[in-house]
Amino acid sequence: MKVVSLDHLVLTVKDLEATCRFYATVLGMEPVCFGENRQALAWGSQRINLHQAGQEIEPKAHRPTPGSADLCFLANISMGDVLAHLQGCGVEIILGPVRRTGAAGEFLSVYFRDPDLNLIEVASIGTSSI
């Protein structure tokens, strides 16, 4: 067997509402409800399912913990536009812009944290210049 793509991943969070608001405002994801009142964040053909800490859906990770994720997202805009947007949202950059290499190749990235202190990387694939 060889997998062909990622359908979704799960984040365990302290506050569903704060998480949905942050990811919608900062990363442009769409909060969606599915199943029996479950929450997710959708963009393109991908989705992040959300579990409320202490109320995780079975089966679940062995140790579901808010703040344990390290995620990289690709943005098809210049790093200057990424930085301007993050600044406008009041997001504190903890590192960057810095050159990185990921599955999509080489790019410029910035790092910040979400409400649960997960590490979020946004990589600009719109242009190599700042």
Side-chain angles (χ1 to χ4, degrees):
M1 176 179 67
K2 184 176 181 179
V3 298
V4 296
S5 66
L6 177 69
D7 180 78
H8 72 277
L9 57 90
V10 176
L11 281 181
T12 301
V13 302
K14 292 178 192 171
D15 184 332
L16 290 169
E17 186 178 311
T19 298
C20 287
R21 187 172 44 254
F22 178 87
Y23 281 84
T25 301
V26 176
L27 297 173
M29 295 179 183
E30 179 184 358
V32 295
C33 287
F34 69 101
E36 295 181 20
N37 202 29
R38 293 190 54 196
Q39 299 288 315
L41 300 160
W43 75 102
S45 62
Q46 288 83 41
R47 192 168 77 186
I48 298 173
N49 291 352
L50 302 174
H51 285 184
Q52 177 73 47
Q55 300 174 24
E56 295 86 1
I57 307 298
E58 294 291 344
K60 63 181 184 283
H62 182 67
R63 290 190 183 105
T65 306
S68 63
D70 181 341
L71 306 171
C72 178
F73 298 101
L74 304 176
N76 197 17
I77 59 175
S78 73
M79 182 51 67
D81 289 342
V82 170
L83 292 169
H85 175 71
L86 294 174
Q87 181 180 18
C89 292
V91 172
E92 179 184 352
I93 304 295
I94 60 173
L95 179 66
V98 293
R99 290 210 177 279
R100 293 291 192 247
T101 303
E106 188 173 301
F107 38 65
L108 285 174
S109 290
V110 292
Y111 294 82
F112 53 93
R113 297 204 182 270
D114 75 2
D116 287 298
L117 303 179
N118 292 302
L119 182 64
I120 306 299
E121 175 183 358
V122 171
S124 170
I125 59 170
T127 179
S128 62
S129 65
I130 296 175

